[in-house]
Coordinates of all heavy atoms in Angstrom, one line a residue:
G278 N 104.4 114.3 68.9 CA 104.0 115.4 69.7 C 105.0 116.5 69.9 O 104.8 117.4 70.7
E279 N 106.2 116.3 69.4 CA 107.2 117.4 69.5 C 106.7 118.7 68.8 O 106.9 119.7 69.4 CB 108.5 116.9 68.8 CG 109.3 115.8 69.6 CD 109.9 116.3 70.8 OE1 110.0 117.5 71.0 OE2 110.4 115.4 71.6
T280 N 106.2 118.5 67.7 CA 105.6 119.7 67.0 C 104.2 119.2 66.4 O 104.0 118.1 66.1 CB 106.4 120.2 65.8 OG1 106.7 119.2 64.9 CG2 107.8 120.7 66.4
W281 N 103.3 120.2 66.2 CA 102.0 119.9 65.7 C 101.7 120.9 64.6 O 102.1 122.0 64.6 CB 101.0 120.1 66.8 CG 101.1 119.2 68.0 CD1 102.0 119.3 69.0 CD2 100.4 118.0 68.2 NE1 101.8 118.2 69.9 CE2 100.9 117.4 69.4 CE3 99.4 117.3 67.4 CZ2 100.4 116.2 69.8 CZ3 98.9 116.1 67.9 CH2 99.4 115.6 69.1
K282 N 100.9 120.4 63.6 CA 100.4 121.2 62.5 C 98.9 121.4 62.7 O 98.2 120.4 63.0 CB 100.6 120.5 61.2 CG 100.0 121.2 60.0 CD 100.3 120.5 58.7 CE 99.6 121.2 57.5 NZ 99.8 120.4 56.3
S283 N 98.4 122.6 62.6 CA 97.0 122.9 62.7 C 96.3 122.6 61.4 O 96.6 123.2 60.4 CB 96.8 124.3 63.2 OG 95.4 124.6 63.3
L284 N 95.4 121.6 61.4 CA 94.6 121.3 60.2 C 93.4 122.1 60.1 O 92.9 122.4 58.9 CB 94.2 119.8 60.2 CG 95.4 118.8 60.3 CD1 94.9 117.4 60.3 CD2 96.4 119.0 59.1
T285 N 92.8 122.5 61.2 CA 91.6 123.4 61.1 C 91.5 124.1 62.5 O 91.8 123.5 63.5 CB 90.3 122.6 60.8 OG1 89.2 123.5 60.9 CG2 90.1 121.5 61.8
Q286 N 91.0 125.3 62.5 CA 90.8 126.1 63.7 C 90.0 127.3 63.3 O 89.9 127.7 62.2 CB 92.1 126.5 64.3 CG 93.0 127.5 63.5 CD 94.3 127.8 64.1 OE1 95.1 127.0 64.2 NE2 94.4 129.0 64.5
S287 N 89.4 127.9 64.3 CA 88.5 129.1 64.1 C 88.5 129.8 65.5 O 88.9 129.3 66.5 CB 87.2 128.7 63.6 OG 86.5 127.9 64.5
N288 N 87.9 131.0 65.5 CA 87.8 131.8 66.7 C 86.4 131.7 67.3 O 86.1 132.5 68.2 CB 88.1 133.2 66.4 CG 89.6 133.4 66.1 OD1 90.5 132.8 66.7 ND2 89.9 134.3 65.2
D289 N 85.6 130.8 66.8 CA 84.2 130.6 67.4 C 84.3 129.8 68.6 O 85.4 129.4 69.1 CB 83.3 130.1 66.4 CG 83.7 128.7 65.8 OD1 84.5 128.0 66.6 OD2 83.4 128.3 64.7
L290 N 83.1 129.5 69.2 CA 83.1 128.7 70.4 C 83.0 127.2 70.2 O 82.7 126.5 71.2 CB 81.9 129.2 71.3 CG 82.0 130.7 71.7 CD1 80.7 131.1 72.5 CD2 83.2 130.9 72.6
Q291 N 83.1 126.8 69.0 CA 83.0 125.4 68.7 C 84.1 124.6 69.5 O 85.3 124.9 69.4 CB 83.2 125.1 67.2 CG 83.1 123.7 66.8 CD 81.7 123.2 66.6 OE1 80.8 123.4 67.3 NE2 81.5 122.5 65.4
R292 N 83.7 123.6 70.3 CA 84.6 122.8 71.1 C 84.5 121.4 70.6 O 83.5 120.8 70.6 CB 84.3 122.9 72.6 CG 85.4 122.3 73.4 CD 85.1 122.4 74.9 NE 86.3 122.1 75.7 CZ 86.3 121.8 77.0 NH1 85.1 121.7 77.6 NH2 87.4 121.6 77.6
L293 N 85.7 120.8 70.2 CA 85.7 119.4 69.8 C 86.1 118.6 71.0 O 87.1 118.9 71.7 CB 86.7 119.2 68.7 CG 86.5 120.1 67.5 CD1 87.5 119.8 66.4 CD2 85.1 120.0 66.9
L294 N 85.3 117.5 71.3 CA 85.5 116.8 72.6 C 86.3 115.5 72.5 O 87.0 115.2 73.4 CB 84.1 116.5 73.1 CG 83.2 117.7 73.5 CD1 81.8 117.2 73.9 CD2 83.9 118.5 74.6
K295 N 86.0 114.7 71.4 CA 86.7 113.4 71.3 C 86.8 113.0 69.8 O 85.9 113.4 69.0 CB 85.9 112.4 72.1 CG 86.7 111.1 72.3 CD 86.2 110.2 73.4 CE 87.1 109.0 73.6 NZ 86.7 108.2 74.7
I296 N 87.9 112.3 69.5 CA 88.1 111.9 68.1 C 88.3 110.4 68.0 O 88.8 109.8 68.9 CB 89.4 112.6 67.6 CG1 89.6 112.3 66.1 CG2 90.6 112.3 68.4 CD1 90.7 113.1 65.4
Y297 N 87.7 109.9 66.9 CA 88.0 108.5 66.5 C 88.4 108.5 65.0 O 87.8 109.2 64.2 CB 86.7 107.7 66.7 CG 86.8 106.3 66.0 CD1 87.7 105.3 66.5 CD2 86.2 106.0 64.8 CE1 87.8 104.1 65.9 CE2 86.3 104.8 64.2 CZ 87.1 103.8 64.7 OH 87.3 102.6 64.1
S298 N 89.5 107.8 64.7 CA 90.0 107.8 63.4 C 90.5 106.4 63.0 O 91.6 106.0 63.5 CB 91.1 108.8 63.3 OG 91.7 108.9 62.0
P299 N 89.8 105.7 62.2 CA 90.3 104.4 61.7 C 91.5 104.4 60.8 O 92.3 103.5 60.8 CB 89.1 103.7 61.0 CG 88.3 104.9 60.6 CD 88.5 106.0 61.6
F300 N 91.6 105.5 60.0 CA 92.7 105.8 59.2 C 93.1 107.2 59.3 O 92.3 108.1 59.7 CB 92.3 105.5 57.7 CG 91.7 104.1 57.5 CD1 90.4 104.0 57.2 CD2 92.5 103.0 57.6 CE1 89.8 102.7 57.1 CE2 92.0 101.7 57.4 CZ 90.6 101.6 57.1
P301 N 94.3 107.6 58.9 CA 94.8 109.0 59.1 C 93.9 110.0 58.3 O 93.8 111.1 58.6 CB 96.2 109.0 58.5 CG 96.7 107.6 58.8 CD 95.5 106.7 58.6
D302 N 93.3 109.6 57.1 CA 92.5 110.5 56.4 C 91.0 110.5 56.7 O 90.3 111.3 56.2 CB 92.7 110.2 54.8 CG 92.2 108.8 54.5 OD1 91.9 108.0 55.4 OD2 92.1 108.5 53.3
T303 N 90.6 109.6 57.6 CA 89.2 109.5 58.0 C 89.0 109.7 59.4 O 89.8 109.0 60.2 CB 88.6 108.2 57.5 OG1 88.8 108.0 56.1 CG2 87.1 108.1 57.9
A304 N 88.1 110.5 59.9 CA 88.0 110.8 61.3 C 86.5 111.3 61.6 O 85.9 111.9 60.8 CB 89.0 111.8 61.8

């Protein structure tokens, strides 16, 4: 958490609430 890379973002109102990821490439 020292630095973060943005994988996806947009300027719309879409709000992501919670994430589950069994593997780093799958979520």
Side-chain angles (χ1 to χ4, degrees):
E279 291 285 350
T280 58
W281 296 83
K282 176 184 178 182
S283 178
L284 301 180
T285 176
Q286 64 185 67
S287 60
N288 289 322
D289 57 25
L290 296 179
Q291 178 88 314
R292 190 180 194 198
L293 306 183
L294 297 175
K295 193 161 186 180
I296 184 170
Y297 167 72
S298 181
F300 308 107
D302 61 349
T303 302

